[in-house]
Amino acid sequence: MATTGTKSEGPVKRAIRNAGWLLAGKGAGGFFSLFYLALTARSLGAEQFGIFALILSYGQAVTNLAQFQSWQTVVRYGAMHEADAAPDKLRRIIVFAFLLDLGAALAGTLLSVAGVYLLGGQFGWSRPEQDLAALFCLSLLFGVRGAPTGVLRLFDRFDVAAYAETVLPATRMAGALIAWMSGASIAGYLAAWAVAELVTTGAMWWASVREIRKRFREPVMGPRVRGVVEENAGLWVFAWTTNLNTSLNLVWKQFPVLAVGWAVDAVAAGGFRIATQLVGALNKPTIALARAIYPEFAKLAVVDRAAINRTVLRACLIGALAGVIALIAVLLAGQSVLQLVGGEDYLFVFPVLLILSVAAVFDLSGVAIEPALVALGRPGTVLWVRGMVSIMFAAALAGAVLVYGSLGAAVATAGASLLLLILLYAAFRKQE
């Protein structure tokens, strides 16, 4: 097996380099997203775009529920097996992660379809719209790509992952253009998003299989999974805990859009979705840093746990600075961008966009804390903190959205982000 990383680089420098590769893929997504989001919003109109946004948020929420975040399992246990020069164990953990992805996709398919027909009426969806949502969920669930993502990050091939992930925004952009030129309805745009997910999954698997073949003489699917639990202490606990952490994380990303659609209307939900997308596009550089630094933490946890503390501090300072810059950008250009993306119909979203940008400052200020805790083998601590904050957030969101609408949802999101930052930081200090 080839070694991972460049030995002369420190973890932060290497993480920034890898984040640059991630940003090359996700930054392209953020850039393209402004175009295909504007194209979709202007083409469908406020009401139809709101329905599109609700279906999209529901599908992505179910996808997050189904995913096992198996890439974290591959990175954490794979780093140990690489350090021990145990290729057979490494191959088994990759196969285990693939089976997790497959099982989650199958189980999530049943859950999502049932949920559409049970809950679709709460969002005002007609029966044809419920059928569209169910089909869209099927395509997203079979687009899970945790195992190949973990392989590329473990082998320090963030450059290859960046090329593969560029397929997603490029395919979405092409699909949105085709839907726009053909005068497609919601179904056409949903089909464009679905095809993009499936094509990207294919690209990620192709790239990861290439890397696997470079490092193993035998096919990676050759070894039996039997014994993988015994040779990886705490494997199931880690897998389930990281999955639940991700499921709770969706509360911040998709649940507010669904809550606004339920309590207000589809137009308000569409506006909230646009604000969320814009904030997400601004924060992609720091989110890329968080994903790039986790493999470094996983390796440091094996050889130099003390270095994690210094790395967390530096990464969080970088995140906080990026958050402040993003907030200033929203203050200066937020209204112009909203008008460019959605037109006059969405200028009402500007106060929501400002508040969500404040929430992003809190999120980015703690960008390295959660990856560090997971790498140190404490995903249970993250789950406990996220679970407690999520319960409080859900209660606050339900009340705020009924009384203040979209603005209340944004304020509840910012408050939850601040509380999460405080509690995660306190939990990390206990590990020092």
Side-chain angles (χ1 to χ4, degrees):
M1 291 187 298
T3 57
T4 59
T6 304
K7 299 299 184 181
S8 60
E9 293 179 316
V12 173
K13 184 177 180 180
R14 190 160 51 244
I16 291 175
R17 170 173 59 82
N18 289 332
W21 282 113
L22 279 179
L23 186 60
K26 297 200 174 288
F31 180 76
F32 280 123
S33 69
L34 296 179
F35 288 93
Y36 57 66
L37 191 64
L39 201 63
T40 307
R42 289 178 176 270
S43 176
L44 292 177
E47 182 68 29
Q48 290 295 296
F49 178 75
I51 296 172
F52 169 81
L54 282 171
I55 293 176
L56 200 62
S57 294
Y58 174 82
Q60 292 175 342
V62 174
T63 300
N64 287 333
L65 279 172
Q67 287 179 350
F68 254 94
Q69 290 300 296
S70 59
W71 73 270
Q72 293 192 31
T73 300
V74 171
V75 170
R76 182 174 189 269
Y77 289 96
M80 296 179 183
H81 299 324
E82 275 210 317
D84 295 337
D88 288 341
K89 292 182 179 179
L90 176 54
R91 291 165 65 211
R92 278 192 286 273
I93 203 67
I94 294 173
V95 176
F96 175 81
F98 165 72
L99 294 176
L100 275 183
D101 286 344
L102 183 61
L106 294 174
T109 297
L110 299 176
L111 176 66
S112 64
V113 172
V116 164
Y117 295 110
L118 287 174
L119 303 175
Q122 300 295 320
F123 302 114
W125 295 343
S126 64
R127 183 55 183 261
E129 289 167 350
Q130 292 179 28
D131 293 339
L132 279 177
L135 289 172
F136 180 67
C137 288
L138 293 179
S139 67
L140 283 177
L141 289 168
F142 282 102
V144 291
R145 41 188 177 266
T149 300
V151 168
L152 293 175
R153 292 178 182 176
L154 173 66
F155 293 156
D156 202 27
R157 293 313 308 265
F158 285 82
D159 53 341
V160 176
Y163 296 135
E165 288 186 355
T166 305
V167 174
L168 181 63
T171 310
R172 277 185 184 171
M173 186 66 186
L177 283 170
I178 293 172
W180 172 69
M181 289 188 294
S182 62
S185 62
I186 294 175
Y189 287 95
L190 288 175
W193 259 248
V195 169
E197 290 289 339
L198 295 175
V199 172
T200 304
T201 298
M204 291 294 291
W205 272 110
W206 177 81
S208 65
V209 168
R210 279 188 58 195
E211 293 303 314
I212 288 171
R213 286 175 175 172
K214 291 178 182 178
R215 287 164 170 79
F216 301 112
R217 295 181 179 178
E218 300 177 6
V220 72
M221 298 302 291
R224 297 180 179 179
V225 185
R226 182 180 301 174
V228 69
V229 176
E230 289 76 11
E231 64 191 20
N232 295 277
L235 179 59
W236 274 117
V237 173
F238 183 88
W240 276 107
T241 305
T242 51
N243 174 55
L244 291 173
N245 280 331
T246 303
S247 299
L248 292 174
N249 192 32
L250 75 86
V251 173
W252 269 264
K253 294 182 178 180
Q254 312 301 339
F255 189 58
V257 178
L258 298 174
V260 170
W262 165 73
V264 187
D265 55 30
V267 175
F272 203 96
R273 173 82 187 191
I274 288 176
T276 302
Q277 288 286 101
L278 291 177
V279 172
L282 288 172
N283 294 336
K284 282 185 182 294
T286 312
I287 294 172
L289 175 62
R291 293 178 177 177
I293 207 167
Y294 173 71
E296 302 304 324
F297 284 149
K299 295 167 186 176
L300 285 174
V302 178
V303 298
D304 187 7
R305 293 171 69 98
I308 292 180
N309 297 333
R310 300 188 299 272
T311 307
V312 166
L313 177 60
R314 294 174 63 187
C316 286
L317 287 175
I318 293 172
L321 178 60
V324 171
I325 293 173
L327 178 59
I328 294 172
V330 169
L331 282 168
L332 296 177
Q335 287 183 309
S336 299
V337 174
L338 282 173
Q339 188 167 11
L340 178 65
V341 171
E344 298 285 340
D345 292 339
Y346 290 102
L347 287 179
F348 74 93
V349 184
F350 181 63
V352 172
L353 180 62
L354 276 178
I355 297 172
L356 290 180
S357 298
V358 173
V361 174
F362 299 142
D363 292 337
L364 297 177
S365 296
V367 68
I369 298 175
E370 183 174 333
L373 285 170
V374 174
L376 288 169
R378 300 306 299 268
T381 300
V382 177
L383 176 60
W384 181 86
V385 171
R386 276 202 177 274
M388 184 172 61
V389 175
S390 295
I391 292 172
M392 298 173 68
F393 175 47
L397 179 62
V401 76
L402 286 172
V403 177
Y404 300 106
S406 300
L407 202 61
V411 172
T413 301
S417 295
L418 176 58
L419 180 60
L420 182 66
L421 171 63
I422 294 171
L423 293 181
L424 281 177
Y425 178 73
F428 177 73
R429 288 298 301 269
K430 290 182 178 179
Q431 306 305 312
E432 295 182 6

